[in-house]
Amino acid sequence: MAGTITWEYFLKCTDELLRISDIIHDDWVGRGSKNIAGSYYLAKTTKRSCMIVKENHEVADYLEDLELERHETDNESVSTNARDRASEWEYHVLYNISYSVPVLYFNACFSDGSLFSLEQLWQLLSYNFKGALEPQKWSVLTQQEHPVLGRPFFQLHPCRTAKFLEIFEGCSSNLLITWLSSVGPLVGLELPLQYSHHHHHKNYTHTETSKGILQDSVVNHSQIHLL
């Protein structure tokens, strides 16, 4: 079926991503068993310091994508309150057997261990994405049981991923990295450009024809890594 990938291709792509990650020290690791389809996944954990103002128990503002170490060493003016709102983000890339596509699971918690709620996470999304996705936000960002770990995780629903992958079939030698570099920024996961620099690649800019499809498939508006 167009836009879908096999378990074997998924494993090949994860091996390549891990190889590049090791070179550039991007901290991805592989977990689980490769012998059972859907049981092996990529994982990465990052720490960020966030500044949150609550109104009616909801998040009103969020200082995103600033790593905790950067605050502690490079920005002495950051308030104690901001540091107290440190957060940890855990990202997992799995293979969805039903849809035959990759799927991104993630969790985020504050320094006291409390998890972000679904409403809080949505409010933290970049406004570049929020406008295009607002009408379908609850179907795009959902909470599901992690298929390997068996505990609640948030996920970007994979129902439209095949449509996205179909666009890049024949253009990318690693559809997993191409897909992840596009959907990851929606939830604060950025892939360094070195993932494309380690291969012969070409730059891709959305055309007006594909732009609507890509927005509908939950992707960003920035450059996509084609390998």
Side-chain angles (χ1 to χ4, degrees):
M1 180 179 175
T4 60
I5 62 174
T6 65
W7 171 242
E8 291 73 22
Y9 180 80
F10 174 82
L11 293 179
K12 176 184 175 182
C13 290
T14 58
D15 287 345
E16 179 69 1
L17 187 149
L18 289 174
R19 183 187 71 81
I20 300 174
S21 176
D22 288 343
I23 294 173
I24 66 176
H25 307 292
D26 197 31
D27 300 327
W28 285 97
V29 296
R31 295 177 181 169
S33 173
K34 293 183 177 181
N35 297 324
I36 304 174
S39 296
Y40 179 80
Y41 61 96
L42 298 178
K44 179 179 180 178
T45 300
T46 63
K47 292 183 178 180
R48 299 189 182 97
S49 184
C50 54
M51 189 178 300
I52 297 177
V53 179
K54 292 187 177 181
E55 296 179 358
N56 298 325
H57 306 291
E58 293 182 349
V59 176
D61 190 25
Y62 179 66
L63 181 61
E64 187 178 25
D65 291 333
L66 294 178
E67 295 185 2
L68 185 58
E69 293 83 358
R70 180 178 166 189
H71 275 277
E72 294 175 341
T73 59
D74 299 335
N75 193 347
E76 296 180 357
S77 65
V78 176
S79 68
T80 303
N81 184 56
R83 271 197 277 268
D84 287 343
R85 299 194 183 280
S87 61
E88 183 172 280
W89 294 67
E90 184 178 8
Y91 299 100
H92 292 176
V93 178
L94 294 92
Y95 181 77
N96 186 287
I97 298 175
S98 299
Y99 288 93
S100 298
V101 295
V103 59
L104 179 60
Y105 283 78
F106 67 99
N107 256 338
C109 64
F110 296 108
S111 56
D112 62 2
S114 60
L115 293 173
F116 283 47
S117 69
L118 181 57
E119 180 63 32
Q120 285 176 326
L121 282 171
W122 184 256
Q123 293 184 38
L124 302 186
L125 298 182
S126 165
Y127 284 98
N128 291 334
F129 303 98
K130 188 173 182 179
L133 298 173
E134 183 73 34
Q136 50 187 326
K137 64 181 182 181
W138 302 121
S139 61
V140 168
L141 185 62
T142 61
Q143 190 171 38
Q144 303 286 335
E145 181 179 288
H146 192 291
V148 178
L149 302 180
R151 54 188 175 89
F153 264 69
F154 295 101
Q155 71 159 354
L156 292 179
H157 200 278
C159 61
R160 295 184 178 90
T161 302
K163 184 185 293 185
F164 170 83
L165 295 179
E166 184 178 1
I167 296 172
F168 295 97
E169 286 182 338
C171 302
S172 170
S173 63
N174 192 317
L175 288 172
L176 179 67
I177 292 179
T178 300
W179 162 81
L180 189 58
S181 70
S182 302
V183 303
L186 181 61
V187 291
L189 175 63
E190 299 278 355
L191 283 192
L193 287 176
Q194 288 94 322
Y195 281 98
S196 59
H197 291 165
H198 279 271
H199 294 264
H200 294 295
H201 68 284
K202 52 187 176 181
N203 294 334
Y204 179 83
T205 302
H206 301 329
T207 64
E208 289 303 315
T209 301
S210 64
K211 187 175 180 180
I213 298 176
L214 293 173
Q215 286 181 346
D216 193 44
S217 301
V218 196
V219 301
N220 70 337
H221 303 277
S222 60
Q223 188 178 81
I224 295 173
H225 302 347
L226 285 184
L227 306 185

